[in-house]
Amino acid sequence: MRISLFSALSIFVLGSLQAKAMTTNVVRIDAKSRLVCLILPPPGKLIGETEQDGLVHCTDGKPRSFPDRFFVTQNFKTTPDYVQAWGYMNPQAAGILKNDGGGQYDTHKDSGDNSSPGYKVFVELLEPDTGRWCIRFCQEAGKQCNMGKSQYGCEGALGITEW
């Protein structure tokens, strides 16, 4: 059996695309143990340009640890409708551009293949220019986990006012 160069390249490219499509970012939170995971952009890249290739970092080191001195503050809140974490970060510790106006990672298909075990949706906002970060997990998309307000930052999108 002979395979043409075109066929071999097609199989290789298709296999590469399927491998990338099967990569799922698993983002977790546990307020009791103070576990939080965030998706961060690859070092030196803008958040808005990396919605589909951000990298998960977790405080328990699985799949990767946050860089030293990334978190300045961490706060947690649990309500019947959501669980969230927020605070200040040192974006330079992770190679995040300080002048990046920020962006959002979430469970929407445009943000890649992201999941949040135990919750149907999550919304994460990073604001490197202000040093703020926030993430909220909900059972339903909507008022508490609105994925369409990233331009308003943590305060406007998630209503966080205590820093």
Side-chain angles (χ1 to χ4, degrees):
M1 174 191 262
R2 267 185 130 184
I3 297 177
S4 72
L5 180 59
F6 176 76
S7 295
L9 286 173
S10 296
I11 291 168
F12 174 76
V13 169
L14 182 58
S16 297
L17 290 174
Q18 287 175 337
K20 181 165 176 65
M22 289 190 267
T23 302
T24 299
N25 285 325
V26 178
V27 183
R28 302 170 286 132
I29 191 168
D30 181 13
K32 288 181 184 175
S33 67
R34 299 186 60 79
L35 166 72
V36 65
C37 299
L38 296 174
I39 301 173
L40 302 180
K45 304 269 184 157
L46 294 172
I47 295 163
E49 295 174 357
T50 63
E51 285 185 354
Q52 295 194 3
D53 57 348
L55 305 169
V56 177
H57 294 71
C58 297
T59 53
D60 68 358
K62 300 172 189 170
R64 63 187 61 76
S65 296
F66 287 97
D68 289 340
R69 298 180 302 282
F70 176 76
F71 288 111
V72 176
T73 62
Q74 289 177 273
N75 305 288
F76 290 84
K77 181 177 183 177
T78 302
T79 76
D81 296 319
Y82 60 84
V83 60
Q84 72 183 21
W86 75 99
Y88 283 101
M89 65 178 166
N90 173 9
Q92 292 90 347
I96 300 174
L97 302 172
K98 176 73 174 149
N99 62 348
D100 186 342
Q104 175 174 306
Y105 296 101
D106 55 42
T107 48
H108 192 270
K109 66 180 178 161
D110 291 343
S111 289
D113 190 8
N114 301 324
S115 71
S116 50
Y119 303 93
K120 289 185 180 173
V121 297
F122 76 90
V123 177
E124 172 193 330
L125 293 127
L126 299 174
E127 304 173 24
D129 56 345
T130 65
R132 293 178 178 171
W133 65 274
C134 59
I135 188 165
R136 182 178 284 174
F137 295 78
C138 302
Q139 290 304 332
E140 300 295 331
K143 183 179 178 187
Q144 300 299 335
C145 276
N146 188 329
M147 292 181 263
K149 297 176 86 175
S150 63
Q151 68 273 24
Y152 300 110
C154 294
E155 288 187 2
L158 300 183
I160 297 172
T161 58
E162 297 176 19
W163 292 94

